[in-house]
Amino acid sequence: MSRREREAALEAEIARLPDLGHDELRKRWKLLFGRPAPKSLRRKFMARAVAYQMQVATYGGLSAAAKRRLREIAMAVRNGDRTGIFSGVQIKPGTQLIRQWQNTTHTVMVLDEGFALDGRTYKSLSAIAKTITGTNWNGYAFFGIKRAARGNKAAEGLKRDSRLTNQRDSESDARVPFQNSNEGDSGA
């Protein structure tokens, strides 16, 4: 069975879940979760949870980093720590974000509680991006702010140009980039 056929079969099976009875959903729950469903669950919620777990079984679940972040948020909520909830990218108050959009330069000032553009205060960069463009944007993406996932070494810095290779300089023991001769550039 091809990947597309498996995905279509999964979608069809998930589409049938709301029509199943309570007992059939409980059987599927036990099969997928390895334990009986709580008795207080409504059929509609049970169908959604079973559908999600079917997708996890097929496609995989949340990454370890996402699970860790959710645990951090839950702990912050329990402790009443608002900063722990929003501990993604922290932009220091006083920072100016500058973005050129359709020949107009927009300067945003980062405040303690939000962002300022043209004398107005906004709660998010996404709201500012929508004001500027008229369409929905991820504010961090619009302003070019990189949000590297914790523990993701590949996302922390610039990606290395595959045409460049490091080679030791014979005189200074420093690393010197050189162009790979396989690139087809004959004249330099």
Side-chain angles (χ1 to χ4, degrees), residues 30-47:
K30 183 160 175 114
L31 182 70
L32 290 164
F33 289 93
R35 61 185 180 276
K39 294 188 188 258
S40 62
L41 281 186
R42 293 182 179 188
R43 194 172 60 79
K44 188 175 183 179
F45 177 77
M46 199 179 325

Side-chain angles (χ1 to χ4, degrees), residues 100-152:
Q100 179 106 18
W101 181 259
Q102 295 182 348
N103 297 324
T104 303
T105 301
H106 302 276
T107 303
V108 174
M109 177 65 73
V110 179
L111 307 172
D112 286 324
E113 295 290 326
F115 306 91
L117 172 70
D118 298 333
R120 289 191 57 204
T121 302
Y122 297 83
K123 290 185 179 183
S124 71
L125 287 175
S126 297
I128 291 175
K130 185 170 185 172
T131 298
I132 292 170
T133 66
T135 60
N136 291 325
W137 275 80
N138 175 306
Y140 288 90
F142 181 76
F143 284 97
I145 300 170
K146 185 161 189 145
R147 297 200 292 180
R150 290 183 184 160
N152 184 351

Side-chain angles (χ1 to χ4, degrees), residues 76-98:
V77 168
R78 266 189 240 118
N79 296 336
D81 178 16
R82 182 177 165 86
T83 59
I85 296 169
F86 303 108
S87 68
V89 172
Q90 297 292 322
I91 307 170
K92 291 183 181 178
T95 303
Q96 286 188 339
L97 305 174
I98 301 171

